[in-house]
């Protein structure tokens, strides 16, 4: 008899397959869902992440969101922090041996992961584990026994290892251990399903093989696409500068998401929102038919994503600011405020509070006036005075809403006043002379 807590298998599959690149094997997923529905026992769904960096970006959230979809349906998400495997270093996609992290680095990164992950997952319904719980305790005999369950030839079929062998690049022994340790995690956790990006396919399939060796029913492997970065060309990565960090300020996230090519937003709708394929298809049809402007569709996307991490009020405020600045060509309601006061031989500068501490400096000044370009460079708001002067000549510098194209334009520091300053398209300041 079907358990009332679980939806029909066809309905679950339709929801769970959204955005998935590959399921190995799909028939087993359907069978596991059916068995779960009959017995009333939730499936154990594993996602492991090594804490190799302190902050997550939207690319990381693709697999976390899929874990949430299983959680929505009543299954048990097992979020595994690979604090041990991070010390080994995942060789996936590496052209050379990656230096292992220190225990201190791993511990520091682990602390921030959960706060970020629980912006997506329900904390009370998530099982959190650390693989050091069991991997730290393996004896030499246990490790040799584990290694004996897999063939070297099979390991060297792996694309990145094969490429490095062909190019005579070294492969360290600890790298060969990584897929086996990850597979052993699945044995300990008795995983029914494991997630990973498409580039993790070898590691996930190794988990199936090792579970069989330990007498367990093998896990189903679900591979998610790699999220393309804001440039529309390469995978999202901090090192490439094409990322959206989930801890970034709402205005920063909004501006970044609005910079992506229009066509790219559909994969973001699919991979980083909870919208159904039917809802996304309707949006695409409205844009294609001219009923909905692409920018408005992209603004909806940005607002939905930001609401998930910062709340609806913050997302709405970021959308309003974007509307004011970039569509209505007005200044944002809130902007960085810097106060200036003339003192003998210079000008006293007070910056906004950072961590409840006000920064104050005194700049030398021979007269009561200073060129705007030089002033902004002196207070580190631009890279150089020449950058401001170039923007002025191009019409990219405004004072109180009016373009200033004269590079020699000066600020009178003996006359109190308030100035809204726009430098380029995105930088706004309020300069107050006291």
């Amino acid at each position: 008899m079907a358990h009332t807590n679980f939806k029909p298998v066809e309905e679950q599959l339709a929801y769970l397959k959204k955005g998935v690149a590959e399921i190995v094997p799909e028939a087993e997923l359907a069978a596991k869902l059916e068995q779960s529905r009959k017995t009333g026992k939730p499936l154990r769904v594993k996602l492991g992440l090594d804490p190799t960096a302190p902050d997550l970006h939207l690319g990381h959230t693709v697999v976390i969101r899929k874990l949430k979809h299983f959680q929505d349906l009543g299954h048990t998400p097992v979020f595994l922090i690979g604090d041990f495997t991070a010390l080994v270093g995942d060789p996936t996609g590496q052209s050379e041996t990656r230096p292992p992290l220190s225990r201190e680095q791993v511990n520091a990164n682990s602390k921030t992961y959960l706060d970020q992950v629980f912006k997506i997952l329900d904390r009370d319904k998530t099982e959190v584990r650390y693989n050091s719980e069991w991997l730290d305790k393996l004896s030499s005999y246990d490790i040799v026994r584990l290694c004996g369950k897999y063939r070297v030839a099979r390991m060297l079929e792996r694309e990145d290892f094969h490429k490095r062998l062909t190019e005579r690049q070294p492969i360290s022994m600890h790298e060969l251990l990584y897929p086996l340790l990850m597979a052993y995690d699945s044995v300990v956790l008795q995983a029914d399903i494991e997630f990973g990006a498409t580039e993790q396919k070898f590691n996930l399939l190794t988990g199936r093989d090792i579970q069989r060796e330990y007498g367990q029913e093998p896990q189903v492997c679900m591979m998610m696409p790699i999220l393309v970065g804001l440039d529309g060309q390469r995978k999202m990565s901090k090192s490439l500068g094409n990322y959206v960090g989930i801890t970034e300020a709402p205005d920063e996230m909004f501006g970044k998401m609005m910079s992506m090519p229009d066509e790219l937003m559909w994969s973001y709708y699919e991979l980083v929102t909870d919208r159904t394929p039917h809802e996304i298809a309707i949006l695409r049809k409205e844009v294609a038919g001219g009923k909905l402007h692409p920018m408005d569709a992209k603004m909806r996307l940005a607002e939905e994503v930001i609401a998930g991490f910062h709340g609806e009020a913050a997302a709405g405020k970021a959308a309003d600011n974007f509307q004011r600045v970039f569509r209505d060509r007005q200044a944002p309601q809130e902007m960085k405020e810097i106060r200036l006061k003339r003192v003998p031989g210079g000008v006293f500068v007070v910056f906004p509070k950072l961590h409840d501490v006000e920064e104050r400096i005194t700049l030398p000044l021979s007269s009561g006036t200073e060129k705007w370009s030089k002033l902004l460079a002196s207070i580190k708001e631009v890279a150089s005075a020449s950058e401001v002067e170039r923007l002025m000549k191009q019409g990219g510098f405004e004072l109180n809403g009016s373009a200033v194209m004269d590079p020699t334009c000066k600020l009178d520091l003996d006359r109190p006043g308030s100035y809204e300053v726009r430098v380029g398209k995105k930088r706004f300041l309020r300069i107050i002379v006291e």
Side-chain angles (χ1 to χ4, degrees), residues 108-124:
N109 293 345
S110 296
K111 288 178 183 177
T112 65
Y113 262 38
L114 288 178
D115 286 339
Q116 297 171 59
V117 165
F118 288 137
K119 289 177 180 289
I120 300 172
L121 297 176
D122 183 334
R123 185 187 298 264
D124 297 330

Side-chain angles (χ1 to χ4, degrees), residues 295 299 319-333 335 391-392 394-405 420-428:
M295 181 173 279
M299 285 186 73
D320 291 342
N321 268 340
F322 185 87
Q323 179 74 29
R324 284 175 60 86
V325 175
F326 296 100
R327 301 188 80 173
D328 300 342
R329 301 287 295 168
Q330 298 179 40
Q333 291 179 319
M335 62 185 79
L391 286 167
M392 285 177 165
Q394 296 172 350
F397 183 88
E398 290 183 0
L399 290 177
N400 294 333
S402 298
V404 175
M405 303 185 73
E420 284 186 0
V421 182
R422 180 176 69 83
V423 186
K425 290 183 177 180
K426 297 181 180 179
R427 186 179 296 249
F428 286 88

Side-chain angles (χ1 to χ4, degrees), residues 7 16 146 222 306 316 332 364 371 398 419-420:
K7 293 182 178 180
L16 295 172
L146 173 61
M222 294 184 72
I306 293 165
K371 285 169 62 175
E398 290 183 0
Y419 303 86
E420 284 186 0

Side-chain angles (χ1 to χ4, degrees), residues 207-228:
R208 282 177 61 82
D209 294 336
I210 296 299
Q211 280 180 308
R212 283 195 197 95
E213 291 288 333
Y214 281 86
Q216 291 184 8
E217 185 178 306
Q219 65 190 16
V220 170
C221 304
M222 294 184 72
M223 276 69 74
M224 299 298 295
I226 294 168
L227 189 69
V228 175

Side-chain angles (χ1 to χ4, degrees), residues 11-61:
E11 198 173 325
Q12 290 190 62
L13 277 173
Y15 185 49
L16 295 172
K17 286 168 65 176
K18 176 201 167 194
V20 176
E22 188 178 4
I23 301 172
V24 180
E26 189 170 326
E28 282 187 25
L29 174 61
K32 283 178 183 285
L33 289 169
E34 186 59 52
Q35 181 66 14
S36 168
R37 191 164 183 265
K38 285 178 180 176
T39 62
K41 184 181 178 182
L43 294 176
R44 293 179 59 75
V45 189
K46 170 195 170 192
L47 170 63
L49 286 182
D50 288 352
T52 52
D55 298 314
L56 300 176
H57 55 62
L58 279 184
H60 297 117
T61 70

Side-chain angles (χ1 to χ4, degrees), residues 151-174:
R151 303 289 175 265
V152 173
R154 179 79 187 277
M155 189 71 75
L156 295 180
E157 289 172 4
R158 178 181 172 139
E159 185 180 349
D160 34 30
F161 287 159
H162 181 72
K163 186 179 181 202
R164 280 157 67 177
L165 275 177
T166 305
E167 296 174 357
R168 297 182 180 276
Q169 295 294 320
I171 300 171
S172 298
M173 287 298 295
H174 74 273

Side-chain angles (χ1 to χ4, degrees), residues 228-377:
V228 175
L230 299 173
D231 56 4
Q233 298 174 351
R234 299 168 294 180
K235 69 179 276 189
M236 183 172 284
S237 166
K238 280 195 172 184
S239 61
L240 296 174
N242 62 357
Y243 72 99
V244 180
I246 68 172
T247 58
E248 290 182 300
D251 284 341
E252 182 75 9
M253 290 180 74
F254 205 100
K256 282 186 172 185
M257 293 194 69
M258 293 304 296
S259 72
M260 75 172 73
D262 289 349
E263 195 54 36
L264 186 61
M265 70 173 149
W266 302 117
S267 67
Y268 278 61
Y269 264 116
E270 186 172 51
L271 297 174
V272 297
T273 78
D274 290 329
R275 283 186 179 255
T276 65
H278 179 66
E279 289 173 327
I280 297 169
I282 290 173
L283 277 175
R284 290 195 77 149
K285 188 175 180 182
E286 288 180 352
V287 170
K291 185 178 178 182
L292 180 67
H293 195 282
M295 181 173 279
D296 291 320
K298 210 186 298 183
M299 285 186 73
R300 286 188 196 178
L301 169 66
E303 195 166 349
E304 281 181 32
V305 169
I306 293 165
F309 300 111
H310 295 285
E312 291 185 7
K317 194 172 181 181
D320 291 342
N321 268 340
F322 185 87
Q323 179 74 29
R324 284 175 60 86
V325 175
F326 296 100
R327 301 188 80 173
D328 300 342
R329 301 287 295 168
Q330 298 179 40
Q333 291 179 319
E334 294 181 11
M335 62 185 79
K336 185 176 182 179
E337 186 175 286
I338 298 172
R339 305 198 311 274
L340 309 176
K341 187 173 183 179
R342 185 88 160 87
V343 294
V347 59
F348 186 55
V349 184
V350 180
F351 293 94
K353 283 186 178 182
L354 181 63
H355 306 305
D356 293 324
V357 178
E358 257 183 358
E359 184 186 354
R360 300 160 181 257
I361 61 170
T362 301
L363 299 174
L365 197 66
S366 56
S367 68
T369 61
E370 181 62 283
K371 285 169 62 175
W372 274 102
S373 57
K374 187 177 178 183
L375 174 71
L376 293 172

Side-chain angles (χ1 to χ4, degrees), residues 5-138:
N5 287 348
F6 294 108
K7 293 182 178 180
V9 170
E10 297 76 16
E11 198 173 325
Q12 290 190 62
L13 277 173
Y15 185 49
L16 295 172
K17 286 168 65 176
K18 176 201 167 194
V20 176
E22 188 178 4
I23 301 172
V24 180
E26 189 170 326
E28 282 187 25
L29 174 61
K32 283 178 183 285
L33 289 169
E34 186 59 52
Q35 181 66 14
S36 168
R37 191 164 183 265
K38 285 178 180 176
T39 62
K41 184 181 178 182
L43 294 176
R44 293 179 59 75
V45 189
K46 170 195 170 192
L47 170 63
L49 286 182
D50 288 352
T52 52
D55 298 314
L56 300 176
H57 55 62
L58 279 184
H60 297 117
T61 70
V62 172
V63 284
I64 300 170
R65 188 166 295 279
K66 186 53 61 179
L67 196 61
K68 175 185 180 290
H69 292 167
F70 272 89
Q71 187 175 62
D72 291 343
L73 293 171
H75 299 290
T76 303
V78 182
F79 185 74
L80 176 66
I81 293 182
D83 58 334
F84 185 96
T85 38
L87 299 173
V88 176
D90 184 2
T92 300
Q94 300 299 307
S95 58
E96 57 186 29
T97 300
R98 174 186 285 178
L101 298 175
S102 70
R103 178 76 73 173
E104 291 72 27
Q105 286 173 303
V106 169
N107 289 343
N109 293 345
S110 296
K111 288 178 183 177
T112 65
Y113 262 38
L114 288 178
D115 286 339
Q116 297 171 59
V117 165
F118 288 137
K119 289 177 180 289
I120 300 172
L121 297 176
D122 183 334
R123 185 187 298 264
D124 297 330
K125 297 177 181 177
T126 302
E127 182 179 322
V128 177
R129 303 292 292 272
Y130 297 79
N131 61 12
S132 61
E133 290 175 34
W134 50 86
L135 295 181
D136 261 342
K137 296 171 185 172
L138 286 181

